Every structure is written in C-alpha cells, then in structure tokens.
Amino acid sequence: MYSMTAREQSGDTKRAPAHLSRAVRSRPQGSVLPPHLARVLEMQGLAGNAATTETITVQRMSRRRDSSDSDLAYGSPAGPSRSSRRHEDDGSDSGLAYGSDHGSPSRRADNSFSDSVGGVRFASQSNNGRMMRQIFTIVESASSHFSQELSAAGAITVQLGRTQGGTPGEWRAGSRTVVLDPRRATPSHLGGTAVFEILNAAAEGSRAALDEHVLNGRLDSEAERAGWPPERFYAREVERIEWQNGMRHREIMTAAGLSRSSANLFSAEGDFDSYFARQERSGHTHSYEFRYHLLRAQAASEAARREER
C-alpha cells in the first residue's frame, strides 16, 4: 500500500507516486478500469490529499452489507467477517485504506508520548512512544500508593535512552532525569524501575546530607569509629538508602496489586547485609567509592582557596 510523504500529506505535490503512474501507463488497452478508480488515480497525480479523500469516499460508498469487500480499491478492511458485519456494522472507518477522516491520530503522532503524574513528566519523542505509554501506565496505577515520594521528588523527567552503567534505569541528579534503557528490560520491568528511580530522586535530600558529611569531614570520623575505610563506609550508606527504597518499592507494588508482575523488582530481597554484599560483588559500589574521593578532593580544594584568601 502506498504511504504518503509529508509533502503529499500537505497537498504540496505535482505528480503521482511512480508505481501508481506506471500502473496506469502499463494497463493493457483491453482492460476495464472502473470509472471511480480511474478518477482516484487521476486525482492522485493532481493533489494527494484530494485523492485520499476520494478513495475513502469511494470505499465507504462501495461497502455493502450483503457483499464482499474484495472489490475495494485497496482491499478488504480488517475486522469481523462479512456475515458478522451484517449485524454489527457500526460505520467505523478504521479499516479503510487510509484510515478514518474523522481526526484519528496518525502513526507519527502515536510514536511520541508525553504525560505527567505528580511533578514527574514522562516524555518520548522517538518511536518508543508506545513503550513509554506502557511504563507510564504502571507508574500511574501505583501513584496513589507513593504520593508523598512523588511530591518530594519534585519536577523531574523520565525518558528513554542509554544508561551510563548498563543498568535498566538510573537517576541523574544533575539533570533531574530518570533514564530508562529500553534495550535492557521489558516495559513492565522498566515501569517498576521508574518507580524505584523516582524513590531515589525523592531521597536526594538524604544523599545530599551524606555528601555534606563527606565534605565537612564528619563521615571520616564515623567511619573510623566503625572501623571501616571511609570510601567503603560512604558507599555502604548510599547503598543503605537504595535498599530502604527497595523495601518501600516492594510495599508500593504490593499495595498496587503488582506484586506478581515483573514490575516488582525487590520481591525476593533480603536483609541489608546480604544486599550490600551482593552490590559489592557486582561492582555497583565502586562508583560510590569513586564519588567519595571526588568529594574529598573538592573539600581539599575549597580549603586551599580559603587559606589563600
């Protein structure tokens, strides 16, 4: 089936599509072309939109409750069989060659998606709009069960893209963005991931307080009393915040009736010590240890500037 270009959809066209033009020129002299179809092909060469409208009109007029649709210009519409349509024909144009002329959204419009729940905006401008809609539906269905966290998260954006750590999702505090990787998980799993990362965004105040303890040296004192290297102590406390969010996530999924779905990411999670040990083995804590050293370097640099003054 011929697919119109943007120029043809706007009516800015001067000739018919090549394959339709060839079909008209190569038609044997002896063949019979129905007058209404000849009119459609003629108008296709003059104005794409006019031809489309004519096609829809011809198809609608040609439909008979007691006849087959095989003689329509571009074939039979999908849907119930002829016999069932005798009793159920609701006048819908959904099966016509170019769709309905009653303002149905185009395929291009369906590819993008934008909606919000609380202050969290879900947006996709690519061909992943359908996936983003599925993700949004999961988060929205659970939203009443974590309204406080949604409010605490504030204005953030959820988008699809490649995560830096190769995980299904991540919270980027600098850009106030949750990034979900469509290559890494199913829409249901990504919906659960979105809820978890929103919880991480809501806990940003706790993370900021922990960072402040690194900058002012208080965390080093706490780590020394606990007998831990300070970078590992910092990483453990960040992981503790995420573990607490995981436990909260499980409560939310259960309350929302999603406990048996793949959106329930922490259904089998145990105590914090086993969680932390697993995160260390996977290398997940390394980025937090690296962040500790960055914060300490920042603190040293600020101290040196103060002394210079």
Side-chain angles (χ1 to χ4, degrees):
M1 184 179 74
Y2 170 55
S3 177
M4 292 184 293
T5 66
R7 282 170 56 94
E8 290 163 337
Q9 288 172 342
S10 66
D12 182 14
T13 181
K14 297 187 181 301
R15 60 179 180 175
H19 72 281
L20 286 181
S21 299
R22 286 195 299 271
V24 175
R25 289 196 299 267
S26 62
R27 180 174 290 276
Q29 292 294 326
S31 63
V32 178
L33 187 65
H36 65 269
L37 183 53
R39 176 60 175 161
V40 170
L41 296 178
E42 176 187 351
M43 292 184 69
Q44 185 77 52
L46 299 176
N49 278 347
T52 299
T53 302
E54 183 74 7
T55 301
I56 294 172
T57 302
V58 167
Q59 285 190 315
R60 188 183 290 117
M61 292 177 62
S62 300
R63 293 171 76 174
R64 296 290 185 269
R65 293 175 182 266
D66 58 350
S67 64
S68 169
D69 290 336
S70 61
D71 59 342
L72 295 186
Y74 292 93
S76 174
S81 66
R82 181 179 63 189
S83 59
S84 64
R85 274 203 310 272
R86 292 177 184 174
H87 305 287
E88 299 179 351
D89 193 344
D90 60 359
S92 171
D93 296 331
S94 60
L96 298 184
Y98 289 97
S100 171
D101 57 351
H102 298 313
S104 299
S106 67
R107 183 179 298 274
R108 181 183 299 273
D110 188 56
N111 284 342
S112 63
F113 177 81
S114 179
D115 209 336
S116 299
V117 55
V120 181
R121 178 173 174 265
F122 293 73
S124 173
Q125 299 300 326
S126 66
N127 60 356
N128 284 321
R130 181 177 181 182
M131 175 177 279
M132 182 61 87
R133 184 180 291 106
Q134 292 173 301
I135 293 168
F136 172 81
T137 299
I138 292 171
V139 178
E140 185 183 40
S141 69
S143 61
S144 63
H145 304 288
F146 70 116
S147 56
Q148 290 185 346
E149 289 90 344
L150 278 169
S151 178
I156 65 176
T157 299
V158 177
Q159 64 186 36
L160 297 172
R162 294 197 175 192
T163 55
Q164 296 171 347
T167 57
E170 61 192 19
W171 160 240
R172 298 179 183 175
S175 61
R176 299 198 56 76
T177 303
V178 171
V179 178
L180 304 174
D181 196 331
R183 305 169 305 154
R184 302 286 179 182
T186 64
S188 176
H189 186 103
L190 290 177
T193 302
V195 172
F196 177 66
E197 299 302 344
I198 291 170
L199 293 175
N200 284 335
E204 192 58 33
S206 299
R207 283 278 300 270
L210 196 59
D211 288 358
E212 183 60 29
H213 287 177
V214 174
L215 292 171
N216 62 28
R218 188 178 303 168
L219 184 132
D220 283 25
S221 299
E222 294 176 3
E224 185 177 1
R225 288 195 297 270
W228 285 61
E231 67 276 11
R232 187 165 177 247
F233 184 83
Y234 171 78
R236 186 184 72 161
E237 293 311 301
V238 176
E239 293 285 13
R240 188 187 302 278
I241 293 173
E242 296 197 357
W243 176 79
Q244 291 169 341
N245 287 340
M247 297 300 96
R248 178 71 180 117
H249 185 281
R250 183 163 64 190
E251 293 174 357
I252 294 166
M253 293 296 107
T254 299
L258 296 169
S259 60
R260 295 182 179 274
S261 75
S262 58
N264 189 10
L265 309 181
F266 300 92
S267 59
E269 193 56 70
D271 60 37
F272 172 68
D273 288 339
S274 61
Y275 171 83
F276 179 63
R278 186 169 65 255
Q279 296 299 80
E280 277 197 306
R281 289 194 301 270
S282 71
H284 188 263
T285 61
H286 291 170
S287 62
Y288 298 145
E289 293 173 357
F290 181 71
R291 178 171 175 78
Y292 165 84
H293 290 294
L294 286 179
L295 291 169
R296 290 304 299 157
Q298 177 185 334
S301 176
E302 291 176 353
R305 283 198 299 270
R306 286 194 298 269
E307 289 180 3
E308 290 177 358
R309 295 173 189 163

